Amino acid sequence: MPALASAAGALALLALSAGPAQATDDKGTAQASVLTAGLDVSLLNKSLNVPVKTSLNEVRAPGTASRTALTVTVDGVDKGQPVSMLRADVATAKADVRAERAEAHAELARAKVHVPGLPLLSLIEVEKVTSRSVCVAGARPEAEANALGRVTVLGKRVTLTAGGVTRVRVPAVGEVTLTLSKTHTTTREAAAAALELKVSVNPLKLNVAEVEGVVTLASTACTVPDVRTVKEAPAPPAAPKPQTLAADPVNLAETGGSSATPYLVGGGILLLALGGVAVARARRS
C-alpha cells in the first residue's frame, strides 16, 4: 500500500508539471470608413438646425464594404429631395482582426463630395486618398494616410502639406479648412484620416442658409490585441489519506488499539460463535 500511494503521488506531480501553458487572447479591434460627416444645416425659412450624420462604407472587423455613391435626405432641403453627398470610382473600406494582428484600410479614388445647398459646386474633389492603421501585439501601432494627385476645394485647386493645415475661402460661398494625413498613435491604438475638412459655408440655395461641421475622408483605427501566456504553478500533490474501518467511533489511541483491532474483534466473535455451536452439538449427542 505505501508503494502504491507513493506511485500515485508521483503520477499526479508529473501530470501537473507537464500540463500545457494556458493562453488568454483578447482580440483587438479594427474599423474603417471612406467618408464620415457630422454637419449642422441651418434652413432659410425656419430658425432650425438639421443635423446630418452619415457615413459611407463604415465597417468593423471583420468586414469589407464597397459602394461608390452615397445620398442622404435632409428635411427641408430641396423640397425633400435626396442630397448626393459622394460619387466616386472607388470607395473601399476593409477591417480585419486575426490572431495577434488588427488592421484597417480605406481607399477613395476619383471622388466628388457635396454638402446640402451646393448641388453644383463640389466641396472637394480628390484623385486618390488612402489610410491604413495596423496594430500588432508586441509592436508599436502604426498609422499612415496619403492624398495623391490633384485636390480641388470649392472649385479652387489647392496644394496640401502633409500634417499641415490649408484654408480655402470663397467669397459668397464660405470657408473650408483642410488637415492632410492626420494620424495618432499610442502604445495601444492607432488612427489615421487622409483628409479632415472643417466646413463653414453659406450657400443660400435650396433653402439652405448655412452648413457647418466636419467631413472626414478615408479614416481607419485599430487597437492592439492583448495576447498573454499564463502558466500556472503546479500545486503540490495531495497527501494520501489513510483509509480505516471502525465499528464505532472509539479512539483507538486511548484504548491502545491499532487499525487491525476491528478485524481482531470480528475474528474473536466468529470463533466464539463456532465454539458455541460445537458445544451444543456435543450436548445433544
Side-chain angles (χ1 to χ4, degrees), residues 27-90:
K27 289 186 177 180
T29 61
Q31 61 188 69
S33 177
V34 297
L35 180 147
T36 59
L39 303 172
D40 284 325
V41 179
S42 299
L43 304 182
L44 278 174
N45 62 354
K46 297 179 182 178
S47 57
L48 178 67
N49 285 346
V50 180
V52 177
K53 297 190 181 209
T54 189
S55 63
L56 173 63
N57 296 2
E58 184 176 12
V59 294
R60 297 177 184 271
T64 301
S66 181
R67 288 173 52 205
T68 58
L70 172 68
T71 60
V72 296
T73 300
V74 184
D75 293 339
V77 175
D78 196 15
K79 300 178 181 179
Q81 297 298 313
V83 177
S84 176
M85 285 197 65
L86 173 71
R87 289 201 174 273
D89 288 352
V90 176

Side-chain angles (χ1 to χ4, degrees), residues 35 97 136 161 208 281:
L35 180 147
V97 175
V136 180
T161 303
V208 175
R281 288 180 178 176

